[in-house]
Amino acid sequence: MRVRINGKHMELDGEASILSLVELKGINPESVVVEYNHEIPKREKWAEITLREGDNIEIVKFMGGG
Amino acid sequence: MLNEEQVLRYSRQIILKEFGYESQQKLLKSKVLVVGAGGLGSPALYYLAAAGVGTIGIVDFDTVGISNLQRQIIHFTEDLGRKKTDSAEQKIKSLNADVKVIKHSVRLDAQNAEELIGDYDVVIDAVDNFRARYLISDLCYFMKKPLVEGAVLGFEGILMTIVPGATPCYRCLYPEPPRDGVVPSCGQAGILGPVAGVIGSMQALEAIKLIAGMGQTLSGRLMTFDGLEMKAREIEWRKKASCPLCGDNPVIHEPVEYDIKCKF
């Protein structure tokens, strides 16, 4: 299954949720927000949303420095 | 009316057909508040001053330290130990005497924020912590002040322009701040100076566009910049119906001042 993550295509084997994808990428889920097909789902829903072919995911880091 | 010297000083931007004489007059009458005279604030202040923004307010309670100088280019070695507001004012004045500088050498908090922001047309968020970011974003929303949000960390930066009522807000993207200890600060994770330079310069550009009413501001979308890969990306970012601040059933009715600690 191919999905698009931060503009790059990624091939996923088997089923994945937003949460498992973020974890797969080695990212602390609490350090990012995720935009899923141009919507920003609540963090509590990440484990329930199963990714599908062609989904578009943007992982945006919390950034506070200046 | 611009005087002869001003016409010459600003000639390179006045000849831009999208900008022109009228926008220059608007800039000279405008008031911009820059919160934080650090890595983002330094380039933003320089460009706003050089462009002839009539009044620039600077909020910073801090003094210049030696580890600031690698990126906070408005401060020089001889300024070590000085208040950042004094140091920045001196550079701005010597760059452009047209600019009136108002110094606010205080830490922005829930008590003073409203009064600090009240007088200004545009606010530039150039702070280094989430406590102040959420406070500024909430307050600008309630006070209907356009806000140019910028943040950096490591080699990366983000930028967005928020016009209350017209565009998504900061909380449409980040509804709540990260938990204590999850996100590092620049002091902990590091920052390369020019990365802050890029984002801070773009914040000045967005502020100038807002005042002049030209072009497309970075609204309803978010720019992310990766200096290591040298890639800038744009992410569509919509107004969120469930946003706690600007959504259909808002739960935040006054600015929130969080107590958030960075990663140790």
Side-chain angles (χ1 to χ4, degrees), chain B residues 134-147:
Chain B
Y134 278 86
L135 187 57
I136 292 166
S137 113
D138 288 356
L139 210 77
C140 286
Y141 177 76
F142 290 120
M143 297 180 77
K144 302 200 181 332
K145 298 282 181 192
L147 169 65

Side-chain angles (χ1 to χ4, degrees), chain A residues 6-52:
Chain A
N6 290 11
K8 281 184 192 159
H9 287 290
M10 185 177 170
E11 201 67 48
L12 292 175
D13 299 327
E15 209 169 80
S17 67
I18 293 179
L19 184 64
S20 67
L21 172 80
V22 169
E23 284 171 343
L24 181 73
K25 289 187 74 74
I27 297 166
N28 176 355
E30 289 198 72
S31 69
V32 294
V33 292
V34 172
E35 192 190 52
Y36 174 66
N37 296 335
H38 307 294
E39 300 292 338
I40 301 175
K42 285 199 165 142
R43 192 173 296 276
E44 303 83 69
K45 303 272 180 202
W46 289 6
E48 299 163 25
I49 297 172
T50 307
L51 303 183
R52 286 178 301 189

Side-chain angles (χ1 to χ4, degrees), chain B residues 149-221:
Chain B
E149 259 292 332
V152 288
L153 192 67
F155 295 95
E156 294 176 78
I158 58 168
L159 182 72
M160 60 192 111
T161 296
I162 298 161
V163 182
T167 73
C169 75
Y170 187 67
R171 286 185 188 267
C172 288
L173 178 72
Y174 298 127
E176 297 290 331
R179 266 196 317 122
D180 271 5
V182 171
V183 177
S185 72
C186 287
Q188 293 141 356
I191 170 73
L192 200 64
V195 174
V198 168
I199 301 295
S201 302
M202 288 202 280
Q203 286 183 283
L205 175 57
E206 287 289 281
I208 290 169
K209 281 161 59 188
L210 281 167
I211 294 159
M214 62 176 180
Q216 292 293 316
T217 54
L218 191 64
S219 300
R221 55 204 172 108

Side-chain angles (χ1 to χ4, degrees), chain B residues 226-260:
Chain B
D226 181 339
L228 206 54
E229 300 289 329
M230 199 46 91
K231 279 186 180 159
R233 296 196 61 241
E234 188 184 305
I235 301 169
E236 194 187 327
W237 157 54
R238 292 182 188 163
K239 210 162 152 47
K240 200 174 167 186
S242 66
C243 175
L245 184 63
C246 76
D248 297 341
N249 297 297
V251 293
I252 294 164
H253 303 289
E254 56 183 45
V256 182
E257 189 174 6
Y258 296 100
D259 180 23
I260 309 149

